[in-house]
Amino acid sequence: MIEAQFEAMEGRLEELQEASAQPEIIADVPRWQKILKDIAQLEPAVTAWRNYKQLLDEIAQAREMESDPDLQEMAAEELKELLPRAEKEMQALRLFLIPRDPNDERSVVMEIRPGAGGEEAALFAALLLRMYQRYAERQGFLFEAVDISDTELGGIKEAVFTLSGSGAFSRMKYESGVHRIQRVPVTEAGGRIHTSTATVAVLPEAEDVEVEIRQEDIRIDTYRASGHGGQYINRTDSAVRITHMPSGLVVTCQDEKSQLKNKEKAMKVLKSRLYDLLQSQQDAAYAQNRKSQVGSGERNERIRTYNFPQGRVTDHRANLTLYKIDAIMDGELNEIIDALTIQEQGKKLEQLHI
């Protein structure tokens, strides 16, 4: 079964490569680009399949050598090295058969809000925001703030931002949920450890062709921005609020000094929220999807715990505990995300009986 699937992929790749060289297709730029994208998606799987077949040929040759008494020892040594390689490569090939999440290659819109814990929750939300900023830098994703509301003590009431880059959603989708912090708050004089939470939602960024927003369906309000930004930001009506009346969704943006740029960012977020809404099958799907991601923000609804006194971070889904909280808070998230990716792949392989 696996062999047939990869042979079909190989045949399809050869067809696409031949088509991509046809003058009439090259002249049709959108079609040509679509073919190149399909080629890029198939090439890693087909290359792995061809390498595996070459490995099988080497194993077959080593089996033949076993029948020669003079070559038996050499054949045994080769098989000792080749057979584990073949098993490992077959495991890797199975992963190519997992249906791709169509959103995986998209950029993302992320939202962080304080949960339970008052001002300490707002401070924790600010720590998470910085963690994702640092992760974006490490991964080469472009971080752009859309709407960040500060508290007087340096926490945040809400943060909406985008991470742009190929594959951003495939990495960040595991961050959706309730994050829990355990530490002695800076606001606590008695030295007692408090537990607070913040919620994170991750939405795939929608493309223009997927979401149509009619001008008559939105109301755009402008107002003077507030918060950090000096005199300029407070003296101009640069902040933008867009209300999508059919759905009731409201997006604000005041990060840029330019009203036009704020409008562009707000529209990007609105399209992503509408895309998320349209993917669901009922009118209240957006609220339900958000609730499934972040719950109510209570302390017992957590996907990950950051314990500062013990210097550890525990992801409860992957059952993974790492004693390097400073590095993780500085954006070193790949070890956690990789573990969650492997866990998800394993579950899908079981479902597919591969």
Side-chain angles (χ1 to χ4, degrees):
M1 177 182 174
I2 288 179
E3 291 79 2
Q5 288 175 282
F6 279 102
E7 293 293 349
M9 287 185 195
E10 189 172 24
R12 176 59 178 160
L13 177 62
E14 291 170 355
E15 290 176 6
L16 290 170
Q17 288 172 331
E18 183 177 344
S20 69
Q22 300 299 318
E24 63 273 17
I25 290 179
I26 295 174
D28 186 347
V29 176
R31 184 182 177 190
W32 185 58
Q33 290 179 335
K34 173 66 168 58
I35 288 176
L36 292 182
K37 184 178 180 180
D38 291 343
I39 289 174
Q41 290 180 346
L42 280 171
E43 276 182 330
V46 173
T47 298
W49 170 243
R50 288 170 176 169
N51 290 338
Y52 179 71
K53 287 196 296 182
Q54 176 63 36
L55 186 57
L56 292 184
D57 288 340
E58 293 177 25
I59 290 174
Q61 291 172 13
R63 294 289 191 200
E64 290 181 7
M65 289 167 57
E66 280 187 309
S67 60
D68 188 332
D70 295 331
L71 300 176
Q72 279 183 347
E73 187 175 343
M74 182 186 299
E77 285 298 318
E78 286 194 19
L79 289 171
K80 185 178 180 181
E81 186 265 332
L82 292 172
L83 292 175
R85 273 181 56 197
E87 177 61 27
K88 186 176 180 180
E89 291 192 19
M90 174 51 73
Q91 291 296 333
L93 282 172
R94 290 189 178 100
L95 298 181
F96 286 111
L97 300 180
I98 297 175
R100 291 176 60 84
D101 184 335
N103 292 321
D104 271 354
E105 294 306 310
R106 296 178 186 269
S107 299
V108 298
V109 174
M110 295 185 64
E111 305 173 3
I112 304 174
R113 293 179 177 83
E119 183 61 36
E120 170 66 3
L123 292 169
F124 177 40
L127 287 177
L128 290 177
L129 175 61
R130 181 187 179 278
M131 180 179 76
Y132 293 132
Q133 284 179 286
R134 292 289 293 127
Y135 182 71
E137 292 172 9
R138 294 173 184 276
Q139 295 297 115
F141 298 147
L142 174 64
F143 174 96
E144 288 188 284
V146 175
D147 189 26
I148 297 177
S149 303
D150 300 321
T151 66
E152 292 182 0
L153 295 180
I156 58 172
K157 300 174 186 176
E158 177 186 44
V160 181
F161 57 95
T162 62
L163 297 184
S164 302
S166 178
F169 186 76
S170 70
R171 304 298 288 171
M172 304 313 300
K173 62 185 178 182
Y174 301 107
E175 296 304 299
S176 294
V178 177
H179 296 243
R180 183 174 69 170
I181 185 174
Q182 294 173 328
R183 69 172 182 176
V184 177
V186 295
T187 56
E188 172 62 46
R192 293 182 294 116
I193 296 175
H194 283 216
T195 299
S196 303
T197 65
T199 63
V200 177
V202 182
L203 307 176
E205 187 175 286
E207 297 178 4
D208 290 342
V209 295
E210 295 168 325
V211 178
E212 179 184 359
I213 298 179
R214 301 185 303 172
Q215 283 299 121
E216 57 265 34
D217 287 342
I218 60 174
R219 184 178 71 246
I220 301 178
D221 301 308
T222 59
Y223 57 98
R224 292 189 180 183
S226 60
H228 304 297
Q231 296 178 350
Y232 184 92
I233 197 170
N234 291 313
R235 289 185 177 182
T236 61
D237 291 337
S238 59
V240 173
R241 179 188 301 109
I242 301 179
T243 303
H244 186 255
M245 291 175 285
S247 66
L249 295 176
V250 179
V251 178
T252 61
C253 182
Q254 61 174 6
D255 185 65
E256 301 284 349
K257 293 180 180 180
S258 163
Q259 184 185 115
L260 178 60
K261 289 183 178 179
N262 281 331
K263 179 182 175 183
E264 290 174 351
K265 284 188 175 183
M267 285 296 291
K268 181 186 292 187
V269 174
L270 178 59
K271 286 177 181 177
S272 295
R273 289 183 179 176
L274 282 172
Y275 175 74
D276 187 59
L277 179 62
L278 293 171
Q279 281 188 309
S280 305
Q281 297 180 351
Q282 45 190 312
D283 293 339
Y286 179 77
Q288 292 177 357
N289 185 43
R290 171 176 291 285
K291 186 175 182 181
S292 71
Q293 286 196 26
V294 303
S296 62
E298 292 301 316
R299 293 176 178 86
N300 61 345
E301 298 176 333
R302 81 284 190 214
I303 62 167
R304 191 178 300 152
T305 296
Y306 306 76
N307 186 298
F308 277 76
Q310 297 181 19
R312 61 176 166 82
V313 175
T314 299
D315 193 281
H316 304 288
R317 299 159 297 175
N319 195 26
L320 174 67
T321 296
L322 300 172
Y323 288 87
K324 50 180 183 180
I325 194 167
D326 291 338
I328 289 170
M329 299 309 297
D330 194 47
E332 292 187 15
L333 293 171
N334 277 334
E335 189 169 354
I336 296 174
I337 292 173
D338 288 344
L340 291 165
T341 301
I342 292 170
Q343 183 183 66
E344 182 185 44
Q345 290 172 341
K347 290 179 180 178
K348 288 182 177 179
L349 288 173
E350 287 181 9
Q351 293 169 356
L352 294 171
H353 305 292
I354 296 176

